[in-house]
Amino acid sequence: MFHHRFLCLIFTLILVTACTPTPFVTHQAKPLMPFDKALGGKLADQSYDLVVADGGYVLAGSSHSNSAGESDALVIKLNHTGEVVWRKTLGQAKWENSESIAVDGSHYVIAGRTWSKGAGRSDGWLVKIDAAGNVIWDKTFGTPSWDVMTSVISTQEAYVATGRTYQKVEGKEDEQANLWLIKVNKNGEVIWNKSLGGEQSEVGYSVIVGDFGYVVAGRHQVSDDSDAWIIGVDEASNVLWQTSFGDNTHDDLAKDIMRIDDGYLVTGWTQKSDTDHDAWLAKLDNQGKLLWRKSFGSKRWDQTAAVSGADNRYVIAGTTNKNGSLDGWVIKVDASGNVIWDKTFGDEDIDGFQSIVAVAGGYVASGLTWSKGSGYSDAWIVSINDDGELLSANPQGNNAND
């Protein structure tokens, strides 16, 4: 059973990717409160992304519990104490999931994919909802093939999303996966739609506002391996610079990126084998030049999916197998990438983090847990103080290990 769940989680984290770019710090009026919540039904549920809004938190993910089809997009609003304010599932007869969420004033925009409608087998999907979770509009974007949106941000005048789209390559029978970057106005109408890449496979995992436009983190194929790929574009989607790096004999990908005063921090992982992944954190300058890269983890399966922080103190969050079972994982580092503390969170079953945000007094992380809750897996949200200690009014079933 553990082996089956381990493979399921690997598939989920690699192919169903979601990480919203996190800001320097998310300010909230109310103090960080203790909570450790498993949220879900009797089937599989999980959170891919997390934002701070309206004095509380909003999770975006997927739910097989009480869904209209195989799976629905899941959105949960919680107050500052971690209590559920409302819970919404969005979907139709087939399969939907929300992989990213962004705040736009009193509204939210959700990005993901849908198999139930659109132009292709799966389409990129944007849904705008109000403060109560009611749908304002629901739009699909894509080709006749497989398309997915993995990250979305809100700007003053538009929404920008990245992901993967398939394009026909001249002279080749098969379609090719390219990194996808699309900008729509506040009504969901396309401003521009860009496919970036060559004749091999590319995908975007995270998009943020950059110095002169936008910066996307992802991966691209290089011969038989893949490299982390970071691209800076202007407001019209013209490429200004691009950087790639990785191990010549292994696969690398960049999973999340955040802007800092003198450049960017990027996190991702190197896949050495099916069961040996190393997490890493890299710093780039404002033109995308790699300044340093630090690796973290064990000889087992270690991945980071999100980066956040401020004031020369940053955290990366993900999943590690270094204790013998998959646990949620958070590492705090200084401005040079040196480890301040390294903590795991979870129990004897499978647990992991997909998103983290910095708040006053600590951090809030979300992901999934098999160790507690109602179903096969539940969406999971926890509060952690500045020293890496789990803040929980009911800590039963959780470990916080150095």
Side-chain angles (χ1 to χ4, degrees):
M1 175 62 73
F2 175 82
H3 180 68
H4 171 72
R5 292 179 180 177
F6 180 82
L7 293 177
C8 287
L9 184 61
I10 290 176
F11 178 82
T12 299
L13 293 179
I14 294 176
L15 298 183
V16 187
T17 54
C19 278
T20 289
T22 46
F24 293 1
V25 64
T26 305
H27 300 283
Q28 61 177 23
K30 298 178 181 178
L32 181 64
M33 299 295 289
F35 53 79
D36 177 356
K37 300 282 187 177
L39 306 167
K42 293 184 178 180
L43 299 178
D45 304 284
Q46 74 178 86
S47 169
Y48 296 129
D49 198 16
L50 162 72
V51 292
V52 177
D54 192 26
Y57 311 93
V58 185
L59 304 179
S62 66
S63 174
H64 292 263
S65 303
N66 302 315
S67 61
E70 293 292 327
S71 173
D72 278 1
L74 174 66
V75 187
I76 304 175
K77 172 68 185 296
L78 303 99
N79 64 20
H80 77 288
T81 66
E83 297 299 323
V84 173
V85 177
W86 50 257
R87 181 183 187 274
K88 302 283 185 176
T89 54
L90 307 169
Q92 297 184 8
K94 293 183 181 178
W95 194 298
E96 281 79 29
N97 64 279
S98 51
E99 303 199 5
S100 179
I101 185 169
V103 182
D104 180 18
S106 62
H107 297 153
Y108 309 100
V109 61
I110 300 155
R113 73 168 87 185
T114 175
W115 281 258
S116 297
K117 56 186 175 181
R121 298 165 185 167
S122 73
D123 268 24
W125 189 35
L126 291 177
V127 183
K128 187 173 183 176
I129 61 175
D130 65 19
N134 301 306
V135 174
I136 298 172
W137 51 254
D138 175 334
K139 306 270 188 174
T140 60
F141 309 85
T143 68
S145 191
W146 304 94
D147 304 292
V148 58
M149 292 176 175
T150 56
S151 176
V152 65
I153 56 173
S154 174
T155 68
Q156 186 173 355
E157 77 289 348
Y159 307 118
V160 180
T162 192
R164 182 194 65 211
T165 185
Y166 277 81
Q167 303 287 333
K168 185 67 178 176
V169 177
E170 186 176 352
K172 290 192 175 184
E173 182 177 349
D174 296 332
E175 295 174 320
Q176 186 58 55
N178 284 163
L179 185 150
W180 189 16
L181 193 60
I182 183 170
K183 185 176 185 177
V184 303
N185 66 21
K186 293 302 176 88
N187 294 318
E189 298 162 337
V190 175
I191 299 173
W192 46 253
N193 189 346
K194 189 90 168 190
S195 174
L196 300 170
E199 295 185 358
Q200 300 199 57
S201 178
E202 290 84 23
V203 61
Y205 292 120
S206 178
V207 59
I208 61 172
V209 173
D211 285 339
F212 301 102
Y214 311 100
V215 181
V216 185
R219 67 168 175 84
H220 73 148
Q221 198 74 22
V222 181
S223 187
D224 294 331
D225 301 310
S226 64
D227 278 357
W229 193 29
I230 320 297
I231 306 171
V233 303
D234 64 20
E235 289 283 357
S237 77
N238 301 303
V239 175
L240 301 174
W241 53 262
Q242 55 182 301
T243 299
S244 62
F245 51 87
D247 187 316
N248 292 331
T249 60
H250 301 114
D251 289 326
D252 277 88
L253 63 86
K255 192 64 169 57
D256 194 23
I257 184 169
M258 70 173 289
R259 191 176 177 183
I260 56 177
D261 289 341
D262 56 348
Y264 304 94
L265 289 179
V266 187
T267 194
W269 67 78
T270 302
Q271 181 177 345
K272 296 182 176 180
S273 69
D274 288 343
T275 56
D276 184 5
H277 296 188
D278 279 352
W280 50 259
L281 179 69
K283 182 177 180 179
L284 312 180
D285 69 15
N286 286 312
Q287 298 301 313
K289 179 183 177 182
L290 179 64
L291 301 178
W292 51 256
R293 183 165 75 142
K294 302 284 182 78
S295 294
F296 310 94
S298 60
K299 296 294 185 181
R300 298 184 178 183
W301 200 78
D302 308 293
Q303 294 185 352
T304 46
V307 58
S308 186
D311 301 327
N312 293 322
R313 295 292 185 267
Y314 305 100
V315 287
I316 51 177
T319 307
T320 179
N321 193 34
K322 66 180 182 178
N323 294 327
S325 63
L326 289 176
D327 290 325
W329 188 29
V330 182
I331 302 173
K332 186 172 184 177
V333 300
D334 64 19
S336 299
N338 301 307
V339 173
I340 298 171
W341 49 254
D342 177 336
K343 304 281 187 173
T344 60
F345 305 85
D347 213 319
E348 295 180 356
D349 216 320
I350 294 174
D351 308 287
F353 293 138
Q354 283 284 300
S355 184
I356 191 166
V357 292
V359 297
Y363 310 94
V364 177
S366 72
L368 85 165
T369 177
W370 292 73
S371 296
K372 59 169 69 180
S374 304
Y376 291 105
S377 68
D378 277 14
W380 188 29
I381 182 169
V382 302
S383 57
I384 302 165
N385 70 14
D386 279 328
D387 296 321
E389 297 168 340
L390 183 69
L391 297 177
S392 174
N394 180 22
Q396 293 181 356
N398 289 275
N399 296 318
N401 304 312
D402 289 332

